[in-house]
Amino acid sequence: AVLYQKSALQLRLLLEYMSIPASRFRGAEEDKPRLVALVMQGRVARKMAAAAADTAEAVEERVRLEREERARLEARTIDELWALLDYMEVEYDEEEAKGELVARIVAQKTQLMMRPETLAPLSGTSRSSDTRITHANFGATY
């Protein structure tokens, strides 16, 4: 409604400001409904472009965090990785290499972030009774 209150000249200037080429509204210089529609389409296109940029940034951030998580887990011992996998109730083979254990943990965490309904129980025991992992110290212990 506010756009209809503007003159055709103001709408054309707004379109130019929005970097919409004049060829898009050529022949409709005085057609206010057409100019208003072009302004609205331009606004929608800008919002979609911004959302796509946000999505790309989110993907980059997720990849960065996953890389950091892998590096952090690689610094752990195999026993600590086994304890974490036991806590997360993820099946694994004791013959698996450290890199495979890390990949399983990262995959499980990714799955949990994508589908919260698959969340593992918040308590559990590890391979040995002296390394019990609880929810309270989960982030710092494993």
Side-chain angles (χ1 to χ4, degrees), residues 74-119:
E74 286 289 339
R76 303 291 182 186
T77 66
I78 295 230
D79 287 334
E80 289 174 320
L81 296 176
W82 284 342
L84 181 56
L85 286 165
D86 286 341
Y87 171 79
M88 296 171 77
E89 297 181 359
V90 175
E91 293 183 18
Y92 59 93
D93 183 3
E94 291 183 7
E95 302 299 317
E96 286 182 278
K98 187 176 188 178
E100 293 170 333
L101 296 174
V102 167
R104 282 187 186 271
I105 292 168
V106 170
Q108 179 69 11
K109 285 185 173 185
T110 302
Q111 179 184 16
L112 291 177
M113 287 189 306
M114 298 298 184
R115 294 180 19 211
E117 69 273 5
T118 63
L119 216 55

Side-chain angles (χ1 to χ4, degrees), residues 18-125:
M18 294 172 65
S19 300
I20 296 176
S23 62
R24 294 270 321 265
F25 56 90
R26 187 155 298 147
E29 286 87 357
E30 298 301 320
D31 185 6
K32 281 178 72 170
R34 173 83 173 122
L35 294 172
V36 168
L38 286 170
V39 168
M40 297 302 292
Q41 289 171 1
R43 287 180 178 174
V44 169
R46 279 184 146 185
K47 285 181 182 179
M48 289 175 59
D54 289 345
T55 303
E57 290 173 5
V59 168
E60 289 175 11
E61 178 70 9
R62 200 167 44 244
V63 168
R64 184 188 64 78
L65 291 174
E66 185 175 315
R67 221 177 294 125
E68 289 175 1
E69 180 72 4
R70 283 182 186 277
R72 190 179 64 74
L73 289 169
E74 286 289 339
R76 303 291 182 186
T77 66
I78 295 230
D79 287 334
E80 289 174 320
L81 296 176
W82 284 342
L84 181 56
L85 286 165
D86 286 341
Y87 171 79
M88 296 171 77
E89 297 181 359
V90 175
E91 293 183 18
Y92 59 93
D93 183 3
E94 291 183 7
E95 302 299 317
E96 286 182 278
K98 187 176 188 178
E100 293 170 333
L101 296 174
V102 167
R104 282 187 186 271
I105 292 168
V106 170
Q108 179 69 11
K109 285 185 173 185
T110 302
Q111 179 184 16
L112 291 177
M113 287 189 306
M114 298 298 184
R115 294 180 19 211
E117 69 273 5
T118 63
L119 216 55
L122 295 179
S123 64
T125 57

Side-chain angles (χ1 to χ4, degrees), residues 79-80 82-83 86 92 124-133:
D79 287 334
E80 289 174 320
W82 284 342
D86 286 341
Y92 59 93
T125 57
S126 66
R127 182 167 296 286
S128 61
S129 60
D130 61 336
T131 58
R132 184 174 174 87
I133 297 177

